[in-house]
Amino acid sequence: MAPTRPSKKKGKGKQPRKAASSTTSAPPAARALLTSATALLEQGDAISARKLAREALSSIETAPSPLASPLGAALTLLGSIAVETGDIDDARTYFLRAVESDPEGDLADEIGGGAEKFLWLAQLSEEGGNDSVKWFERGAGALRKAIGKAEEDGKADVAEEKKRKLAETLCAVAEVYMTDLSWEEDAENRCEALISEAGLVAPDHADTWQTVANVRISQERVDEAKAALERSMAVWRNVESEDVRVPAFPTRVGLARLLIEVGMEGRAVEVVERLVTEDDQSVEAWYLGGFALYNAGVKLKEKKKEPEWKSAWRSSRGWLAQCLLLFQKQEYEDERLGEHANELLELVRKEIGDDEGDEDDEGWEDDEDGEDEDDEDDEDEDEEMQ
């Protein structure tokens, strides 16, 4: 999926931060400073990381052979730190300087080479559109070369990692053509070409199939979108959260939205249940859980399944109430989300009342029976489609 632009909101994305590995040409002090700065950034101490990274940059720039030193590594690390601290203009400056030290991404990752700086500049582009595509394509070019080299050297693990990153990059470009550049005549054809290449490069990468689903939804090919979403979830649904196959937190939030959009509420609840286990302060995850369960209840109500729809709505009530509690506590910025959550909660309370004295309403966990039945309906539809 397309990487999201930095904002003040906290997220559990898996942005890559490469530790600055040692090289024989780098000043020893600079190597140590970069390693320490990277560790501090991983621990969430961006301010201390910035101080050490700046010292490393100064040491590298004053070394006898600065071009042979990991100048790009220091600049890319400082760019990542600037993103973390919200200094986006500084981040662009650092990444652009990193590009000057390695215009084609030919240098080793350990000394600031590779695709990372291009991909960051694509995300941080003020112009968006074609400018973002330009940087993404430079990153994709660097990744293709890195994949070829890794395969020549027999480094299968490295090649697979680069292929996943290339697939993500291609999907990011497709997302641009679906949004900023959707007006272009060949936008749909470009999307098809991009997702086709991504599928060939990394057929078992969840992000690829999620992007395919997004494209199919935009084309109103809902059955194909459902099949792609099932294939995306199949990659990671039975593995631990730390597994590399599990998409980033924001990507799975987007997945839940797509699942709701195509009427796969059971699968959406499955996704958000896992999200709130990982981060129970995510306003959007609680909102999507409440929304999915509300929609599931509507469907069950239409089928005259009274115990089931009331059960789904009791669970929805709990999710939405928790969403709004966190919304107020965090002074969440998305007013439209808050308004919709309030609207849904009022509709539910009008039908089934508040939760006081409701012994069997202890949150969404009590609603498994109703949701499982709806989930089975989704599965039946998918089986018929296949």
Side-chain angles (χ1 to χ4, degrees):
M1 298 296 291
T4 54
R5 298 189 185 195
S7 70
K8 294 181 181 178
K9 299 176 187 176
K10 297 292 183 182
K12 290 207 171 186
K14 295 182 180 177
Q15 289 293 349
R17 291 183 186 136
K18 300 185 182 70
S21 301
S22 61
T23 61
T24 55
S25 58
R31 296 201 304 267
L33 288 168
L34 288 174
T35 300
S36 298
T38 301
L40 286 168
L41 183 58
E42 292 289 354
Q43 295 165 16
D45 189 353
I47 303 303
S48 298
R50 180 174 61 190
K51 182 172 185 260
L52 294 184
R54 284 175 174 171
E55 290 180 23
L57 178 62
S58 176
S59 174
I60 291 166
E61 290 179 322
T62 57
S65 302
L67 293 178
S69 299
L71 176 64
L75 292 168
T76 300
L77 179 57
L78 279 164
S80 300
I81 293 170
V83 170
E84 192 73 17
T85 58
D87 301 313
I88 304 304
D89 288 339
D90 289 346
R92 290 192 196 96
T93 300
Y94 282 125
F95 290 130
L96 286 169
R97 287 185 62 192
V99 170
E100 291 175 4
S101 71
D102 181 32
E104 302 301 324
D106 291 330
L107 296 178
D109 290 346
E110 292 80 5
I111 56 174
E116 185 177 4
K117 52 190 171 292
F118 303 122
L119 302 181
W120 270 121
L121 286 166
Q123 296 178 56
L124 301 178
S125 172
E126 290 184 290
E127 299 175 25
N130 285 312
D131 187 61
S132 289
V133 170
K134 175 191 74 175
W135 289 114
F136 276 131
E137 287 179 343
R138 289 181 72 170
L143 286 165
R144 290 187 183 99
K145 286 185 283 188
I147 291 168
K149 186 176 187 309
E151 289 178 338
E152 287 178 7
D153 296 342
K155 298 179 179 178
D157 291 344
V158 174
E160 286 304 310
E161 178 190 352
K162 300 296 183 186
K163 286 179 180 179
R164 285 193 296 270
K165 179 57 69 177
L166 176 57
E168 290 173 9
T169 302
L170 295 169
C171 289
V173 180
E175 295 278 1
V176 176
Y177 277 107
M178 291 171 58
T179 52
D180 294 358
L181 300 179
S182 60
W183 50 270
E184 292 201 351
E185 290 184 6
D186 62 345
E188 185 171 351
N189 290 335
R190 285 179 178 265
C191 281
E192 288 292 341
L194 289 160
I195 61 176
S196 294
E197 183 181 355
L200 291 172
V201 169
D204 296 323
H205 192 37
D207 294 44
T208 300
W209 294 106
Q210 188 168 329
T211 302
V212 170
N214 205 2
V215 172
R216 296 294 176 251
I217 289 171
S218 71
Q219 297 169 331
E220 299 183 354
R221 294 157 63 176
V222 178
D223 285 349
E224 292 177 49
K226 288 182 177 182
L229 290 170
E230 286 284 6
R231 187 161 181 178
S232 176
M233 286 190 67
V235 173
W236 58 270
R237 65 187 304 193
N238 294 319
V239 301
E240 297 296 326
S241 297
E242 295 76 16
D243 194 291
V244 69
R245 290 169 290 179
V246 178
F249 194 96
T251 300
R252 284 178 285 153
V253 169
L255 170 63
R257 285 188 173 275
L258 293 177
L259 289 163
I260 292 171
E261 187 171 351
V262 298
M264 298 174 68
E265 291 86 6
R267 288 284 185 259
V269 171
E270 181 182 341
V271 171
V272 293
E273 283 178 346
R274 186 160 174 172
L275 290 176
V276 297
T277 299
E278 296 174 19
D279 179 11
D280 62 4
Q281 300 299 300
S282 172
V283 173
E284 194 167 5
W286 286 104
Y287 159 73
L288 291 171
F291 189 16
L293 286 159
Y294 173 84
N295 286 350
V298 169
K299 290 181 177 180
L300 291 165
K301 190 177 182 183
E302 290 173 350
K303 296 176 181 178
K304 310 296 185 184
K305 297 183 177 181
E306 183 168 341
E308 291 87 350
W309 75 257
K310 286 186 175 180
S311 178
W313 275 17
R314 281 196 297 271
S315 188
S316 174
R317 181 179 57 197
W319 281 77
L320 293 169
Q322 181 66 13
C323 163
L324 291 169
L325 180 67
L326 293 171
F327 187 96
Q328 293 179 344
K329 180 180 177 181
Q330 298 176 17
E331 298 181 353
Y332 203 68
E333 297 175 356
D334 191 343
E335 291 298 331
R336 291 181 63 186
L337 183 152
E339 290 171 2
H340 191 225
N342 259 314
E343 178 186 345
L344 294 175
L345 186 56
E346 287 304 311
L347 288 170
V348 169
R349 284 174 170 167
K350 185 178 179 180
E351 288 285 339
I352 63 173
D354 290 321
D355 59 355
E356 289 186 11
D358 198 351
E359 295 180 0
D360 64 344
D361 183 23
E362 298 179 359
W364 47 267
E365 291 181 347
D366 288 344
D367 244 19
E368 292 178 356
D369 291 341
E371 264 309 288
D372 282 346
E373 183 170 352
D374 189 57
D375 200 15
E376 288 170 6
D377 289 342
D378 286 336
E379 289 176 349
D380 291 342
E381 291 174 7
D382 293 331
E383 287 173 4
E384 291 173 6
M385 172 192 64
Q386 293 168 357

